[in-house]
Amino acid sequence: MSNLKDLLAQRAALDEQINQTKDRERSEAISKVKTLMSEYGLSVADLSVRTPKPVKVSKVAAKYRNQATGETWSGRGLQPKWLKAAVAGGAKVTDFSV
């Protein structure tokens, strides 16, 4: 069975190995990237992430309004619950036109 002093020494040795391996692998990765960049004629600017232009979302004017609550619907997408309930109750969709 190991004592605390031995375990701490082992941990220190492992930490040193980890740091050495990390530095070595990082250097190898940098070397590979530099080789690929020169092979394909790439610059650092070519590596920047290009963000797509934001899609402009235009609001559509309301076509239907619930007079009791003020809720509106543009006529696009699913009918709102308040309009479905009103139509089920005998009202016409045109009754709610703005």
Side-chain angles (χ1 to χ4, degrees):
M1 189 158 116
S2 300
N3 62 23
L4 181 60
K5 189 183 253 185
D6 293 338
L7 291 173
L8 290 173
Q10 287 177 0
R11 183 169 78 180
L14 282 175
D15 285 342
E16 182 61 29
Q17 280 184 319
I18 288 169
N19 288 333
Q20 288 174 356
T21 303
K22 189 188 304 182
D23 291 342
R24 180 178 39 81
E25 289 181 359
R26 188 171 188 270
S27 297
E28 291 172 0
I30 289 171
S31 176
K32 286 179 186 177
V33 169
K34 284 182 178 180
T35 302
L36 287 171
M37 287 178 69
S38 65
E39 184 178 329
Y40 290 99
L42 299 173
S43 67
V44 175
D46 294 328
L47 301 178
S48 65
V49 178
R50 295 184 182 135
T51 56
K53 292 181 181 177
V55 177
K56 292 183 181 179
V57 178
S58 60
K59 289 211 170 198
V60 179
K63 292 182 181 179
Y64 306 99
R65 180 182 316 276
N66 184 349
Q67 296 297 328
T69 63
E71 294 173 294
T72 60
W73 180 49
S74 66
R76 293 186 177 178
L78 297 174
Q79 277 186 348
K81 291 179 182 178
W82 62 264
L83 186 56
K84 281 185 182 180
V87 171
K92 295 180 183 175
V93 175
T94 55
D95 295 340
F96 298 94
S97 294
V98 174

